[in-house]
Structures are given as structure tokens and as C-alpha cells.
Amino acid sequence: MEKQVFDSRKRPLRDLRISVTDKCNFRCQYCMPAEIFGPDYPFLPQHKLLTFEEITRLTAIFTSLGVEKIRITGGEPLMRRNLADLIRMIRGVEGVKDIAMTTNGSLLAKHAKELKQAGLDRVTVSLDSLDDERFSKINGRGYRVEQILEGIEAASEAGLGVKINMVVQRGVNDQDILPMARYFREKKHILRFIEFMDVGNSNGWRLDQVVPSREIVSMIHCEMPLEAADPNYYGEVASRYRYVGEEGEIGLISSVTQAFCSTCTRARLSAEGKMYNCLFASSGEDLREPLREGKSDGEIRELISSIWLRRDDRYSEERLKNTPGIAKRSKVEMSHIGG
């Protein structure tokens, strides 16, 4: 029987983000810089990854605590073989109302149709520029924009909901804000601009590289008038703006300048089965070993509930207030637990 749990700041557990692999075929500087994640980097061996059966069992336990929305992440989730099988298994879990996936889009054209047939509802595709030279430099592996756009269109044609995420960095791709807005406005896909965040410990984050969301809104509004729109649901991370007189919209994810910790309802499950209460967490709680030691669903449910009940994370609010020591805190890498 479902029992909604709340953390120490009265935030409900509603969303679960599941990383299925710590590997990715991109080497974006803000996530997996090539000088660190090189050929000899010790990625997780197969036996340490949660199996599809273990992920599905944990999903069912999380839904018994109030989780309704599942997001599949990585690394790059489509590097995990037979991912559609996992989607199908999660789709069969009672209480799951929505299944989404975050992807870099490079493998999406090949898999979009089978993912939709398996029960995936939506995809969010990361794309930081429409300029091939810049995009190739950003992804670190020479992938071209056309391949990602083909994946986006394949997902749309398959009937998946599609959103595009752009991480904006001053001096890197801020000149692409308007071209991206124009292109996806015409394509009628929602584009979301993400402030460059200090995720992990290796992306070289600097505050002066952050382009504040208000600046992005102002820039677009001068050419394509915008009006604020209400949130779709409690805890929505993106602030919404609609093009005046149209149904099309953009979103702004402003973790740096407008922290939204107070309504965060997301738990994260890493590829090796650790539960993290925050994208910026320093450590996670192991759920894999209790599973493999034969603990009952009830015992694991109590463990998850106790982890959430004592949750007090609010890193972005603390960063915003310049809380002493916050900048020196060690954090889990984003490639390990997804965005």
C-alpha cells in the first residue's frame, strides 16, 4: 500500500532518476572531460551494475513510497544493451505513471521506435549548439549536429514527447542561444536552457561562465516576445515561458541563480545501486548489497524511507548564499548519476 514519505524539509518523494551505465560516447567538458575520462578510466564492470531485474524491483519499492515518474539516465543510457527490455519491465510496475529518458541523441534514431513500443513516454535530448564545429568541440568526439537532429526527429515520428536541453556557457556557446531558439520554435519542440552548474569535481566550473536565465529570456524576448507560464506541476525544475500568441515555449533551469531546492522531489539511483538525494551529493547509500543479500522488499522499503526521511540537501540554495565551505565540497560525478 502506498505511503507517501517526506524529507526533513517536507519535500515528497515523487521522482526517481535511474542511471543504467556510467559510460558515455561523448566527452563533454562540463560532464566527462577527456583528460580525466580517458582510455584507462576505470568504468564499472558489468557485475557491479544493477541488473534489469534489480532495477525493476527497486522501482516497485520506490513507487510504494510515492514515486510516480521514472527517468532513465547515464552516462549515455543507450550504451546499455537491450535498454528497451528494461523500459518494458518498468512499464509493468504498478504506480509508474511516466517514463522518460535523457540522452545525447547520437543513438536515438536507431532505437526510438522500439523504445516507444516498449513503453517509453518521453525523451530529453542534450544539444548545446547547431554549429558543427562548436558542437564537435563540445562533445569531444567529433559527432555532428545532423546525427542528433535525426535522432530528435525519429523520436518525434515514433510518438515520443521530445524536449531539448542546452547547457549554456559564456564564451563557449552563448552565441547559439538565438539560433537554437529559432530552430526549435519552428520545429515546435520545447527547448530548455540550463545554467552551467558545478556538478562533479572535474568540469572546471567558474561563476563567470554562467549565463543567468534572466539574460537568456531578455535576449530571446527582444526578437521573439515571451510571456511567463505557470508550472505544469509541483516541483517542476524549469521555469516556463510561452511565445506570445503561440503554443510553443522555452524552459529555463536556473540552478545557479534561482535555486529550486525547496520543491525538489527527486531521488537518484546510480548504475551500481547507490541512492543519492541530490545531484550535488558527496555520497550515496548502497541499495545493491541489501538486494543481493536477500533482504525483503519490506526491509529495503524501510531503508529507502529512512534515507529520504533524514534528507536535508539544499546545495544550490547554499551555493547561492555563499555558505562557507560549499565550494570545496566533493561531489559525485554527473556521469555517474545522470543530470
Side-chain angles (χ1 to χ4, degrees), residues 26 28 30 104 125-139 143-150 152 164-169 171-181 183-184 191-193:
F26 281 15
C28 301
Y30 60 76
N104 63 35
V125 180
S126 301
L127 179 63
D128 296 330
S129 177
L130 292 171
D131 179 90
D132 262 324
E133 184 177 344
R134 267 192 300 280
F135 179 63
S136 177
K137 186 177 180 180
I138 289 169
N139 69 57
Y143 284 90
R144 299 180 68 82
V145 175
E146 182 182 7
Q147 189 171 346
I148 314 308
L149 296 181
E150 287 174 356
I152 289 170
I164 293 83
N165 277 356
M166 176 187 181
V167 175
V168 182
Q169 299 180 69
V172 176
N173 66 337
D174 50 332
Q175 66 269 59
D176 295 305
I177 292 170
L178 282 172
M180 289 278 286
Y183 181 86
F184 288 109
L191 172 62
R192 302 193 300 184
F193 299 94

Side-chain angles (χ1 to χ4, degrees), residues 15 31 44 58 68 109 134 168 181 185 189 205 222 232 243 247 286 290 324:
D15 305 76
C31 183
L44 291 167
L58 283 173
E68 298 175 343
R134 267 192 300 280
V168 182
R185 178 191 184 194
H189 294 316
W205 183 85
C222 286
N232 285 311
Y243 292 110
E247 290 184 3
D286 190 7

Side-chain angles (χ1 to χ4, degrees), residues 195 211-219 241 252 254 257-258:
E195 292 180 343
V211 181
S213 289
R214 61 182 178 275
E215 186 177 322
I216 296 172
V217 171
S218 178
M219 186 186 303
Y241 287 84
L252 289 302
S254 316
T257 65
Q258 300 171 50

Side-chain angles (χ1 to χ4, degrees), residues 287-335:
L287 300 183
R288 185 188 67 200
E289 286 313 300
L291 279 176
R292 295 183 179 179
E293 289 171 358
K295 300 292 186 184
S296 69
D297 285 3
E299 289 172 310
I300 296 172
R301 186 176 186 273
E302 285 303 311
L303 174 59
I304 292 170
S305 180
S306 69
I307 294 168
W308 189 262
L309 283 167
R310 63 177 184 267
R311 176 190 191 231
D312 190 47
D313 300 77
R314 53 189 185 97
Y315 176 88
S316 292
E317 289 181 352
E318 293 174 329
R319 186 215 298 114
L320 199 59
K321 295 174 183 176
N322 293 312
T323 303
I326 193 73
K328 297 180 181 179
R329 183 187 297 179
S330 177
K331 303 182 289 291
V332 64
E333 295 294 343
M334 185 166 68
S335 58

